Amino acid sequence: MPEPIFPGENECLRQDMKRCEAELQELKGYPFPFLLSLCQESAQLREKLAQLQVETEENKSRLAELGLEVQQKTDRLAEVELRLKDSLAEKAEEEERLSRRLRDSQETIATLKAQPQPTKYIIKTVEVDSSKTKQALCETQAQNQYLQEQVGMQRQVLKEMEQQLRNSQQTTVQLKAQIMMYESELERAHGQMLEEMQSMEEDKNRAIEEAFSRAQVEMKAVHENLAGVRTNLLTLQPALRTLTSDYNGLKRQVRNFPLLLQEALKNARAEVGNIRVIGRVRPITKEDGDGPEANNAVTFDSDDDAVIHLLHKGKPVSFELDKVFPPQSTQQDVFQEVQDLITSCIDGYNVCIFAYGQTGAGKTYTMEGTVENPGINQRALQLLFSEVQEKASDWEYAITVSVAEIYNEALRDLLAKEPQEKLEIKLCPDGSGQLYVPGLTEFRVQSVDDINKVFEFGHTNRTTEYTNLNEHSSRSHALVIITVRGTDYSTGLRTTGKLNLVDLAGSERVGKSGAEGNRLREAQYINKSLSALGDVISALRSRQGHVPFRNSKLTYLLQDSLSGDSKTLMLVQVSPVEKNTSETLCSLKFAERVRSVELGPGSRRTELMSWSSQEHLETGSVQTPSSTRSYPSSGSGVPISRSSSIRRKLQTSGEED
């Protein structure tokens, strides 16, 4: 039985129905225009997206052209191209994301369109039960709530798509800005490349012009030399004819006297002032190791003590020096060969003895020796003391010693309180053309004890280090400078002689000696100075107008000894073992080149003092004379020769004279 309905309740239900009816009517007109507007906006978005895609394609095409152009340019633009490719990749990813969002939106719109059309309700005023009316009202309100939520969701989707569109437009603007920036950078890089190419072209033209100018100067010098040679030939032709006539006459005169002619030729050779070269071969020691590399590769000529044979890579090579000392030779044997040269400094001659050879060949042993068996340095001073004592009744002598080293192209005083101080080489202010070292300590020696003190102090300050070739390798060129000043009591004649004893640092191959760090730097300086010495020898040998003495401190300091005013002897030290044959070969080749250098006869430095101004040498510190006058004379002592037989004959004739 149905429940009774009261009139007031029915009126409320009717009002609710009318209100729902109005809301439904409003909803009937609302969704379709909104969806139409949404579709239109979606179409506009698709059109804009299509435009963006067209622009993107155009940009891609432009970027491809730019990429081809960049590829044809230099490699330095590769980094810009990579950045451009990265930007395009990011843009493609962003477009892909937008496309996916757009497809999602389109699917949502399609879903909404596919929904059934709202039902048109026919509202009739009927009397219904109260429970049914309430249920219809709830359903209507739920439908209304659902539609409002759908409208809100569509508005949110629209806002997101609008935001995406703005982001896409912003990305497009950024990409355009990047493209403009890349184009600007490409233009700038292209301009820099053009400038560099122009600069390189200018450098090339400048180098060609400089080379052409140098070639012209050299060609001019060659022409001048050729003209000089032609002039000399024209001048020598009459002299040659005269000499030929004289020679024919002399030949007729001495036809029966061949021995006299031979002796005259020997005397003529003896007058040529070549650098004398003697060699010394050290013994094989336990440091040389065992095995084939420690085998002996050096032999000697039993008939000629000036010839040495070297077996290098299975091939014998021979060298001729002035004398060769085998391993069994003693320190005294070597000193006897050079003592006549040493004593000539007492008579006012400049003498230089320098030891050359690879590291570990025995140079320092020959020059310095040991306490029990001293070398040339100490024996030379002892000999000079003995000689001046014999002349003490007629002459007064003062002997001073300086000890220096050239380390890494820096000249250092080994007798100074601060041996690290660098010294310079200067020309003497007296106009003699001689070189001297301002500030170099001169220590006057008067006894054997003084000699020992000087050498001990200098040896302590000298730079030595361990290498693979020598446990105590000398890392500098050591120079002992002995100055002998004498005064003749009867005539007032004053003489100044200088003896330079030089222990050169060992030549070495860096890879073989194992030099590293500071040792490597020292080896480079040593090899550079020895190379400069080789250049000087080559220039002297070929009689060039310019001799590069100033290319190193070593050659500059030895200029007086190598420029024709001195008696010079080179002592080449060699190792006999197989593993050192390459260095031995280089040392002997260099010795032969040195032996062929002609310096001319040495000159004697003397000064004749009047009785009114004659002064004896002071017993204190010795000062270099402010002025000297050199009187050149032919060298006394043993003449230089090229074979042992000639040397013995000349020594005999010298003793008879």
Side-chain angles (χ1 to χ4, degrees):
M1 181 175 182
E3 295 180 358
I5 299 174
F6 298 99
E9 186 177 356
N10 287 335
E11 184 65 26
C12 290
L13 289 173
R14 283 202 269 310
Q15 291 178 358
D16 289 338
M17 287 288 291
K18 289 180 181 180
R19 186 169 57 254
C20 290
E21 220 176 66
E23 290 178 356
L24 285 174
Q25 190 67 27
E26 183 180 359
L27 288 174
K28 288 178 185 179
Y30 178 75
F32 294 105
F34 172 75
L35 292 175
L36 181 60
S37 174
L38 185 60
C39 291
Q40 291 176 352
E41 291 179 357
S42 298
Q44 292 176 358
L45 286 175
R46 284 196 295 272
E47 291 176 358
K48 291 182 180 180
L49 183 59
Q51 292 176 359
L52 287 175
Q53 289 177 347
V54 172
E55 292 179 358
T56 301
E57 292 298 326
E58 292 176 355
N59 291 335
K60 286 183 179 179
S61 176
R62 176 59 179 165
L63 288 174
E65 294 176 357
L66 291 175
L68 292 175
E69 183 179 356
V70 168
Q71 189 174 2
Q72 295 172 358
K73 303 296 181 179
T74 60
D75 293 338
R76 62 181 297 178
L77 303 179
E79 184 177 358
V80 176
E81 184 179 1
L82 290 175
R83 293 201 300 267
L84 188 59
K85 288 181 179 179
D86 293 339
S87 299
L88 289 174
E90 292 176 0
K91 180 181 177 182
E93 292 176 359
E94 183 65 24
E95 289 177 358
E96 182 64 23
R97 287 196 298 270
L98 290 176
S99 299
R100 288 198 298 269
R101 295 296 298 272
L102 182 58
R103 285 195 299 271
D104 294 339
S105 299
Q106 290 174 347
E107 290 175 358
T108 302
I109 293 171
T111 302
L112 291 175
K113 286 182 178 181
Q115 291 179 355
Q117 296 294 329
T119 304
K120 295 182 180 180
Y121 294 95
I122 301 174
I123 306 301
K124 294 182 179 181
T125 303
V126 294
E127 293 292 335
V128 295
D129 293 337
S130 174
S131 58
K132 292 181 179 179
T133 303
K134 289 181 180 179
Q135 184 178 1
L137 178 62
C138 291
E139 290 177 355
T140 303
Q141 289 176 345
Q143 181 69 18
N144 185 21
Q145 182 67 27
Y146 171 73
L147 292 174
Q148 287 179 352
E149 290 176 355
Q150 290 294 322
V151 171
M153 290 174 60
Q154 292 299 324
R155 287 177 179 175
Q156 183 64 28
V157 170
L158 180 61
K159 289 181 180 180
E160 290 178 357
M161 294 185 68
E162 289 176 350
Q163 182 63 34
Q164 290 176 0
L165 178 60
R166 286 193 295 271
N167 292 338
S168 177
Q169 291 174 346
Q170 184 177 1
T171 302
T172 303
V173 172
Q174 292 177 353
L175 287 174
K176 288 182 178 180
Q178 288 182 357
I179 291 172
M180 293 178 65
M181 180 183 67
Y182 293 154
E183 289 178 348
S184 175
E185 189 171 352
L186 285 173
E187 292 179 359
R188 181 178 60 81
H190 182 67
Q192 289 180 351
M193 184 181 67
L194 292 178
E195 291 178 357
E196 291 179 359
M197 292 179 62
Q198 185 177 1
S199 177
M200 292 174 63
E201 185 70 20
E202 292 175 355
D203 293 341
K204 182 187 73 173
N205 295 335
R206 190 182 306 109
I208 293 173
E209 292 177 358
E210 292 177 356
F212 182 72
S213 300
R214 287 196 299 270
Q216 284 184 329
V217 173
E218 292 176 359
M219 185 61 68
K220 183 179 180 181
V222 169
H223 285 305
E224 291 177 353
N225 292 335
L226 182 60
V229 170
R230 288 175 179 171
T231 304
N232 291 335
L233 287 175
L234 293 175
T235 305
L236 289 174
Q237 283 179 354
L240 182 61
R241 287 193 293 268
T242 303
L243 288 174
T244 303
S245 177
D246 293 343
Y247 171 74
N248 291 332
L250 289 173
K251 186 177 180 181
R252 288 190 297 269
Q253 293 177 10
V254 300
R255 185 172 299 169
N256 297 326
F257 304 97
L259 294 177
L260 181 61
L261 179 60
Q262 184 178 4
E263 189 66 26
L265 291 175
K266 292 179 181 178
N267 293 334
R269 291 193 188 101
E271 291 178 0
V272 178
N274 291 53
I275 297 177
R276 193 172 177 215
V277 179
I278 63 175
R280 187 179 189 184
V281 182
R282 71 163 175 82
I284 298 177
T285 63
K286 62 180 181 180
E287 285 78 12
D288 293 323
D290 299 321
E293 290 187 347
N295 292 339
N296 182 40
V298 174
T299 56
F300 307 92
D301 194 328
S302 58
D303 297 328
D304 192 348
D305 61 359
V307 176
I308 182 172
H309 306 289
L310 174 66
L311 186 64
H312 178 61
K313 295 182 179 179
K315 297 181 180 179
V317 187
S318 299
F319 299 89
E320 182 182 4
L321 308 179
D322 292 295
K323 187 174 179 63
V324 178
F325 289 96
Q328 62 270 22
S329 299
T330 64
Q331 297 278 67
Q332 182 61 28
D333 294 336
V334 177
F335 184 72
Q336 285 180 351
E337 186 68 19
V338 301
Q339 64 181 2
D340 291 333
L341 189 66
I342 291 172
T343 55
S344 64
C345 73
I346 297 177
D347 299 325
Y349 291 93
N350 285 342
V351 179
C352 179
I353 299 175
F354 64 97
Y356 178 89
Q358 75 170 106
T359 297
K363 300 181 301 300
T364 303
Y365 176 77
T366 298
M367 298 303 292
E368 295 183 5
T370 62
V371 176
E372 299 78 17
N373 195 10
I376 291 176
N377 293 354
Q378 191 165 5
R379 292 174 187 266
L381 278 170
Q382 293 176 355
L383 176 63
L384 292 177
F385 277 133
S386 175
E387 291 290 326
V388 299
Q389 287 175 2
E390 291 179 3
K391 297 183 179 182
S393 59
D394 300 322
W395 286 79
E396 180 180 9
Y397 286 99
I399 301 177
T400 61
V401 179
S402 300
V403 183
E405 75 169 358
I406 299 175
Y407 174 73
N408 288 355
E409 274 303 290
L411 181 60
R412 305 194 305 184
D413 186 355
L414 297 184
L415 299 182
K417 294 181 179 179
E418 298 292 335
Q420 301 300 325
E421 183 180 358
K422 297 180 182 179
L423 302 177
E424 296 296 331
I425 306 170
K426 304 288 185 180
L427 283 172
C428 285
D430 58 5
S432 63
Q434 299 288 323
L435 298 174
Y436 81 112
V437 180
L440 183 64
T441 303
E442 283 189 300
F443 188 90
R444 182 166 182 176
V445 290
Q446 296 177 313
S447 65
V448 176
D449 291 338
D450 293 341
I451 298 173
N452 293 333
K453 290 179 182 178
V454 168
F455 286 140
E456 181 179 359
F457 191 75
H459 183 75
T460 301
N461 290 332
R462 189 180 180 189
T463 305
T464 61
E465 289 293 342
Y466 174 87
T467 68
N468 291 345
L469 300 177
N470 190 1
E471 184 178 0
H472 299 285
S473 175
S474 301
R475 313 307 295 165
S476 64
H477 308 299
L479 300 95
V480 177
I481 304 171
I482 303 171
T483 305
V484 181
R485 298 179 177 89
T487 303
D488 189 338
Y489 291 132
S490 59
T491 63
L493 182 67
R494 299 181 65 176
T495 61
T496 302
K498 186 175 291 186
L499 173 62
N500 292 323
L501 302 174
V502 185
D503 179 10
L504 297 177
S507 59
E508 62 187 29
R509 287 183 292 177
V510 174
K512 194 170 183 179
S513 66
E516 297 178 350
N518 290 335
R519 305 291 81 77
L520 176 60
R521 183 167 176 264
E522 293 166 354
Q524 290 171 343
Y525 274 110
I526 291 170
N527 292 337
K528 180 181 178 182
S529 61
L530 294 176
S531 176
L533 179 61
D535 294 340
V536 167
I537 294 299
S538 298
L540 291 171
R541 198 175 161 213
S542 57
R543 299 183 180 180
Q544 296 179 9
H546 171 69
V547 181
F549 285 111
R550 298 197 179 194
N551 283 3
S552 76
K553 289 287 180 63
L554 174 65
T555 54
Y556 194 26
L557 197 60
L558 294 179
Q559 179 174 347
D560 291 341
S561 302
L562 299 174
S563 58
D565 196 27
S566 291
K567 297 181 178 182
T568 304
L569 181 141
M570 172 183 170
L571 180 63
V572 57
Q573 292 277 160
V574 296
S575 168
V577 294
E578 176 68 27
K579 64 182 178 181
N580 294 329
T581 54
S582 296
E583 288 79 7
T584 300
L585 181 68
C586 293
S587 297
L588 292 175
K589 284 184 176 180
F590 181 73
E592 278 197 334
R593 292 198 300 271
V594 172
R595 186 170 175 260
S596 64
V597 174
E598 296 180 2
L599 299 181
S603 62
R604 185 183 182 194
R605 296 182 63 192
T606 61
E607 182 180 6
L608 187 60
M609 305 293 292
S610 62
W611 283 105
S612 59
S613 59
Q614 181 178 353
E615 296 178 354
H616 295 294
L617 293 174
E618 299 175 355
T619 58
S621 62
V622 179
Q623 302 293 331
T624 302
S626 59
S627 63
T628 59
R629 182 178 303 162
S630 298
Y631 295 90
S633 62
S634 60
S636 63
V638 180
I640 298 173
S641 58
R642 293 302 178 203
S643 69
S644 59
S645 59
I646 295 176
R647 186 184 305 112
R648 286 192 292 270
K649 289 182 181 179
L650 291 176
Q651 287 176 344
T652 303
S653 63
E655 292 172 356
E656 293 175 355
D657 292 339

